[in-house]
Amino acid sequence: MDLSLSETELAFRDEARAWLAANVPAEPLPSMDTAEGFVAHQEWEARLAEARWSVVSWPREVGGREASLVEWVLFEEEYHRAGAPGRVSQNGIFLLAPILFDHGTPEQQQRFLPSMATGERIWAQAWSEPEAGSDLASLTSSARRDEDRGGWLLNGQKTWSSRAAFAHWGFGLFRSDVAAERHRGLTYLLFPLDAPGVTVRPIAQLDGEAGFAEIFLEDVFVPDADVLGAPGDGWRVAMSTAGNERGLSLRSPGRFCAAADRLVELYRNRSGFETGARAPSSTTGGDHHRDRVVDAWIAAQAYRLYTWGTVTRLAAGGDVGAAGSVNKVFWSELDIALHETALDLLGPEAEVESAWLDGYTFSLSGPIYAGTNEIQRNIVAERILGLPKEPRGAAR
Ligand SMILES: Cc1cc2nc3c(=O)[nH]c(=O)nc-3n(C[C@H](O)[C@H](O)[C@H](O)COP(=O)(O)OP(=O)(O)OC[C@H]3O[C@@H](n4cnc5c(N)ncnc54)[C@H](O)[C@@H]3O)c2cc1C
């Protein structure tokens, strides 16, 4: 792995750094899980898009700058270092767009990608159902053929759909052939969340905001033009990018390196390091806290280096595959460790300090979303380490 950057890459990084320094809002935006914050984040997406920073790796004709994978990682590092707002368009640009590029028709790409790049249309992922989370292939929401109208009728219930309370369109898997094997007979469909027959019911998160929603579908008509990939091939289409979500695109290391730097800063402030007036060790928990700060910082750097390794492998034609599960477990546990350490340093103050506290409550969901860590450990055990397969029926 060669970590030296070319002149072009350095120029790209400097341009991104300068633009972010001049444009990142001085005050944090309101939470994107509120109506007001959602719109404020959409406006930020539009600003990014105007300067072509919203989807740097995409082709120019759909809003990108054709940046390489290395440049994409550099941009992500700069983005988080600058403390820029969370991406309200993340489901679309990181989860749906790669599938659209690989499996979408040119017409679908033209119709959906530009408004995703500008943040005008925000997407919700409608995969999970009340009885189908880890075992996604057991989903029962159906797509029934409507020959007369040339499309499909959707029925069923989706749940835990992030940002669906305010989003505009959903992408999800539906059972289109009940007679087929579990993983077959599924179709990947795109549908507007305001279509007749769709009811969206917000679900409050731990912090009280409507971070998720349930989506109820009753005879919702979707034309053939909105099927992604071939009918019945939805599982393969969906899984073609799941490794990327866990392993690279969803949680870039810049996010954790920036949090680790803030943690170091917090420790320095609380220990009186800046002023030279060192606080008694009881304020900072002494060596114990210091060691945890150091461990968290090193872990964030390790994750960064591992990601550069992944990028090098991908650039050489490899894929993320099952190694994405190693990453998923690592980044989700790192996020909790970073935030727990900060709360311990803050002591009772943590209860009124909202940034670390908000980050902590969100970090608790890391081992659940993008595939639970128990399932990721099964994947690591079976596919990477070659351990015996989990006995059937012993799961829960
Ligand atoms: C913050 C957040 C955002 C989310 N956003 C979305 C979204 O936008 N769209 C969407 O579709 N979904 C979303 N989800 C849902 C998420 O994908 C599911 O919660 C997840 O897949 C787990 O499914 P489940 O909740 O049904 O739990 P279950 O599958 O019922 O699992 C319950 C527990 O049993 C364990 N378990 C299950 N099977 C096994 C096994 N074989 N071996 C060992 N342990 C096992 C699990 O690991 C878990 O600990 C989100 C979840 C969270 C927390």
Side-chain angles (χ1 to χ4, degrees):
M1 180 168 71
D2 178 7
L3 288 180
S4 52
L5 299 174
S6 69
E7 288 295 315
T8 325
E9 287 160 351
L10 286 169
F12 176 91
R13 189 191 63 185
D14 291 346
E15 192 187 341
R17 187 177 290 177
W19 188 87
L20 289 162
N23 288 278
V24 167
E27 290 295 316
L29 302 182
S31 161
M32 68 174 89
D33 296 332
T34 62
E36 179 205 6
F38 187 85
V39 172
H41 279 80
Q42 268 189 289
E43 284 165 5
W44 167 248
E45 293 290 335
R47 202 151 137 202
L48 278 173
E50 216 172 73
R52 287 190 181 263
W53 290 115
S54 71
V55 286
V56 292
S57 58
W58 290 15
R60 288 187 180 278
E61 62 271 23
V62 282
R65 339 180 134 217
E66 284 164 23
S68 67
L69 201 49
V70 168
E71 287 168 338
W72 176 76
V73 179
L74 289 175
F75 176 73
E76 288 285 307
E77 287 187 352
E78 292 304 319
Y79 192 86
H80 291 285
R81 187 173 293 141
R87 303 293 304 268
V88 69
S89 58
Q90 123 181 335
N91 282 335
I93 59 179
F94 295 148
L95 307 184
L96 176 59
I99 301 187
L100 270 170
F101 280 119
D102 285 354
H103 302 274
T105 62
E107 186 277 328
Q108 287 174 330
Q109 293 173 357
Q110 274 311 317
R111 190 154 50 102
F112 294 125
L113 292 170
S115 60
M116 198 186 284
T118 57
E120 189 186 338
R121 182 182 284 155
I122 302 295
W123 290 81
Q125 183 190 37
W127 286 19
S128 306
E129 296 185 4
E131 299 301 327
S134 300
D135 185 12
L136 184 62
S138 64
L139 63 87
T140 57
S141 287
S142 64
R144 207 172 63 239
R145 191 76 197 130
D146 182 338
E147 283 300 350
D148 294 345
R149 286 195 280 172
W152 303 81
L153 282 177
L154 308 187
N155 279 283
Q157 180 189 350
K158 299 289 181 176
T159 191
W160 309 129
S161 193
S162 297
R163 279 169 286 289
F166 307 109
H168 308 102
W169 274 60
F171 54 95
L173 285 171
F174 293 85
R175 192 159 297 287
S176 50
D177 181 355
V178 281
E181 266 180 66
R182 270 159 41 95
H183 292 82
R184 299 176 200 275
L186 296 173
T187 297
Y188 204 116
L189 288 137
L190 313 176
F191 56 98
L193 289 171
D194 61 358
V198 176
T199 306
V200 177
R201 202 158 71 190
I203 309 175
Q205 292 183 144
L206 191 59
D207 61 8
E209 310 292 4
F212 307 109
E214 301 176 281
I215 305 173
F216 298 88
L217 303 123
E218 259 180 279
D219 284 340
V220 177
F221 178 72
V222 175
D224 284 333
D226 294 344
V227 172
L228 188 46
D233 199 26
W235 185 260
R236 196 181 62 89
V237 171
M239 290 307 125
S240 66
T241 55
N244 273 348
E245 175 189 358
R246 290 172 196 144
L248 189 66
S249 61
L250 190 64
R251 291 286 172 250
S252 51
R255 183 175 186 271
F256 304 107
C257 289
D261 286 346
R262 281 193 291 118
L263 184 64
V264 171
E265 212 41 49
L266 180 69
Y267 185 86
R268 285 156 67 107
N269 288 340
R270 294 192 76 77
S271 64
F273 183 89
E274 303 295 354
T275 59
R278 284 174 183 272
S281 61
S282 59
T283 317
T284 53
D287 289 349
H288 168 64
H289 276 155
R290 199 180 50 180
D291 289 352
R292 283 177 61 194
V293 170
V294 172
D295 285 346
W297 189 87
I298 290 176
Q301 293 301 320
Y303 179 54
R304 175 171 184 258
L305 292 175
Y306 185 81
T307 303
W308 279 108
T310 306
V311 166
T312 311
R313 222 171 43 246
L314 288 175
D319 63 14
V320 174
S325 298
V326 179
N327 259 27
K328 162 73 215 299
V329 172
F330 193 83
W331 63 246
S332 56
E333 294 186 349
L334 168 61
D335 206 19
I336 295 178
L338 278 163
H339 286 88
E340 269 179 355
T341 308
L343 294 197
D344 283 354
L345 273 174
L346 286 163
E349 227 180 275
E351 289 175 36
V352 286
E353 203 286 337
S354 63
W356 283 112
L357 190 59
D358 290 350
Y360 174 69
T361 50
F362 186 73
S363 75
L364 294 177
S365 65
I368 304 173
Y369 67 84
T372 65
N373 282 10
E374 290 80 7
I375 298 292
Q376 303 315 310
R377 286 192 161 89
N378 282 350
I379 295 173
V380 173
E382 293 169 16
R383 293 199 216 151
I384 301 183
L385 303 179
L387 300 184
K389 283 204 180 290
E390 176 190 23
R392 268 170 191 270
R396 296 183 196 202

